[in-house]
Amino acid sequence: MNNKKEKTREYILEKSSQLFSEKGFKEVTMKDICEVTGLSRGGLYSHFSSTREVFEALLERITSEDEFDIEEEIKKGSSAVEILNASLTRIRKEIEKPEESLSIAIYEYAQANDSKEIVRLNQRAEEKWSKLIRYGIEQGEFKKVNVNEMVSVILYSYQGVRMWSKIMPIKKNTAIQITNNIKNQLIIK
Amino acid sequence: MNNKKEKTREYILEKSSQLFSEKGFKEVTMKDICEVTGLSRGGLYSHFSSTREVFEALLERITSEDEFDIEEEIKKGSSAVEILNASLTRIRKEIEKPEESLSIAIYEYAQANDSKEIVRLNQRAEEKWSKLIRYGIEQGEFKKVNVNEMVSVILYSYQGVRMWSKIMPIKKNTAIQITNNIKNQLIIK
Amino acid sequence: MNNKKEKTREYILEKSSQLFSEKGFKEVTMKDICEVTGLSRGGLYSHFSSTREVFEALLERITSEDEFDIEEEIKKGSSAVEILNASLTRIRKEIEKPEESLSIAIYEYAQANDSKEIVRLNQRAEEKWSKLIRYGIEQGEFKKVNVNEMVSVILYSYQGVRMWSKIMPIKKNTAIQITNNIKNQLIIK
Amino acid sequence: MNNKKEKTREYILEKSSQLFSEKGFKEVTMKDICEVTGLSRGGLYSHFSSTREVFEALLERITSEDEFDIEEEIKKGSSAVEILNASLTRIRKEIEKPEESLSIAIYEYAQANDSKEIVRLNQRAEEKWSKLIRYGIEQGEFKKVNVNEMVSVILYSYQGVRMWSKIMPIKKNTAIQITNNIKNQLIIK
DNA sequence: CATGAATGAGAGTTCATTCAT
DNA sequence: GATGAATGAACTCTCATTCAT
């Protein structure tokens, strides 16, 4: 019945994801997780032995589910503009429901654990965006911008919005404004 | 005697600022502050009765010290480009020494306390930047950009870098790239 | 099938004997026994329902395996000196490999459970030694010592060495010295 | 008011000594010590942070209080027989009130912590007894026994009785018998 | 007033023991 | 029967907070 154990595990991740999303990483306790899952102390501990472990499992799930695959899209022959639009829309949507986002928790986790995982995630994102921009330039769809510069602006301006939107009522159109700015800097005409 | 009390207070803020900078807001305890200040439990409590209070005093000090005053500069007749350069340089310098920055702590504090102070700080920054950009446009120094859009990009891309640079070794020139991007979007020629 | 149950039982005793020998009685948990035997919780519990039960089964096995039977030897007509030598050698050998000895565990068990079994074991040993010494005196092989006194010295000096040798690197010849002392006190010439 | 802290410390040692004497080392918990002392969790922890620490402080106290000093007596010019009698009487008395003895606890502690302290204690005892016996031989009061052999018998037979008397109702005269045996082996006439 | 000993709430962790499968 | 997931009691340990000195 390995299945049962696996199911409980998934259930714990599900429920604690909500917790981490609300309270960040540092303020979640094993007791909290017991409460939201309805598990007993010992029950929870037989699956994970610290909030850190739970969170790492969660991180793994997130990064493996991965997301929109820019490289895949390039292979499929989608145009750079299409891919750009799709990518920016995905980010914007995510920002628009901050209650589901783990960004604070990821941030706190990273600070408390100097995690390499986070660095890796960031590098991967950088690479993807670089590829897309180069692809757009090659295709004649994008202006001949400084690629690294553009990637930095994209990544960090979204990070900034994403993070602050969780703790401040950010005007709805802020994300749209940033999206527009990026598009204007990139797309020809 | 009031003087002595005031001095101790300042001393506590000084020392705990380092702590908050290292560990963020949530992980600092009153005990920690006792230890770094060398004060007794009772001694510390006679000045502040929670880490929150200490942190709020710190916030107040920071926001009152305030910084470079854009409005002041406009009145002085400085050119928009000069003010822009000075402002961007100040931000970049701050990002370059993340060990002194309270950004994580401010962030954690804000999340845990849904503070209005943070919202206010943000609004003030928005207003300042709006003013500067409008001033530049009026003076014919800046391109006729969409002001709100530009302000969003500026504020959040820097926030993004500022925060992640505390937990990740961010390439030194990332901040420069963002600075350049902003200048290119704004300054004519 | 009863056979299988019996075999598992033996296997559990075997494995947990090692554990008790290393860690004493009080520090061994049912979980430990599960681990060394590879049995599941429920599996183990269907044989024994506490470490105490396991240990008592172990004790029983030890005392029934019994050892060198002094009375038997007397009947066989062995000389008192021969029996003495054999008995002392057996004890000394046991002391020389403390890693196999359950003496600590027995001691801890006895203290925690005020067991009558231990008292009985001790009485039997006393009786055996009394018989042997009286036999030796009757045979004219042993000096006319005070029997009870001699038995006490024999039993407790060995107990002392046995126990401390488990926790201290006792000089190898300590056991030999005690053996010699006893022989000198007993054997004529 | 360092005095107050010191007093509480002493009080804790006092009370926990009783506990260790009853239950040995392994079964005493910090909670138990809280209960017998009437201290709160935090209160106790500000003095000692584990049962091990408490026990070590206790050990230190015991070994420094030290005991009857054989060397001192030799210097004073007491006869070897007098010193022997006094020493054996002290041990016998101690054995007669097992409820006050820490021997089980020391033993369990030593087994769980491979303590060097215990080894040292034992060495010191060995040295003292060796000195006394040599002194007695020099003075012509003691028979020319094998010193090391005699020391082993003395130390370990008493250890054996001391330990088992805590867990078994040992006949009152066992200790006397051993004492007599030792005297007979040593004292001339 | 300052000090630091003491309190007590609450988080972490481990196991004996049970019980649905 | 055997299995191992889950329960819950009992410990360990850490701090915010109080209060006698």
Side-chain angles (χ1 to χ4, degrees), chain A residues 88-105:
Chain A
L88 296 180
T89 304
R90 297 187 87 257
I91 298 179
R92 225 180 46 229
K93 288 246 169 84
E94 195 201 323
I95 290 175
E96 276 158 8
K97 23 182 188 167
E99 66 285 359
E100 283 178 18
S101 158
L102 285 171
S103 60
I104 290 187

Side-chain angles (χ1 to χ4, degrees), chain A residues 26 107-108 152 177 185, chain B residues 26 108 152 177 181 185:
Chain A
K26 293 178 181 179
Y107 188 65
E108 286 184 1
S152 292
Q177 289 168 350
Q185 289 198 61
Chain B
K26 293 179 181 178
E108 286 184 2
S152 292
Q177 290 169 350
N181 185 271
Q185 289 198 60

Side-chain angles (χ1 to χ4, degrees), chain A residues 22-24 26-27 104 107-108 110-111 118-119 122 126 148-149 152-153 156-157 159-161 163-164 167-168 170-171 174 177 180-181 184-185, chain B residues 22-23 26-27 104 107-108 110-112 118-119 122 126 148-149 152-153 156-157 159-161 163-164 167-168 170-171 174 177 180-181 184-185:
Chain A
E22 272 168 51
K23 306 175 65 171
K26 293 178 181 179
E27 275 178 333
I104 290 187
Y107 188 65
E108 286 184 1
Q111 191 251 326
I118 302 299
V119 176
N122 200 59
E126 255 182 44
N148 289 335
E149 190 183 302
S152 292
V153 172
Y156 292 106
S157 57
Q159 285 292 15
V161 181
M163 297 195 71
W164 289 89
I167 61 173
M168 261 185 5
I170 278 189
K171 285 181 229 86
T174 299
Q177 289 168 350
N180 286 340
N181 185 271
N184 285 335
Q185 289 198 61
Chain B
E22 272 170 52
K23 306 175 65 169
K26 293 179 181 178
E27 275 179 333
I104 290 187
Y107 188 65
E108 286 184 2
Q111 191 251 328
I118 302 300
V119 175
N122 201 58
E126 255 182 46
N148 289 335
E149 189 182 302
S152 292
V153 172
Y156 292 107
S157 57
Q159 285 292 14
V161 181
M163 297 194 71
W164 289 90
I167 60 173
M168 262 187 4
I170 278 189
K171 285 182 227 84
T174 299
Q177 290 169 350
N180 286 341
N181 185 271
N184 286 336
Q185 289 198 60

Side-chain angles (χ1 to χ4, degrees), chain C residues 23-36:
Chain C
K23 306 175 65 170
F25 173 70
K26 293 179 180 177
E27 275 178 333
V28 171
T29 68
M30 288 300 267
K31 204 186 166 209
D32 289 337
I33 299 179
C34 285
E35 269 154 31
V36 297

Side-chain angles (χ1 to χ4, degrees), chain B residues 6 41-42 46 48 70-71 77 80 98 137 144 160 163 172 179 186:
Chain B
E6 199 50 43
R41 294 278 219 258
S46 79
F48 299 100
I70 289 181
E71 281 138 346
I137 296 176
K144 289 190 179 142
M163 297 194 71
K172 301 234 172 66
T179 303
L186 279 176

Side-chain angles (χ1 to χ4, degrees), chain A residues 107-118:
Chain A
Y107 188 65
E108 286 184 1
Y109 166 78
Q111 191 251 326
N113 296 289
D114 62 25
S115 133
K116 314 227 149 147
E117 185 61 16
I118 302 299

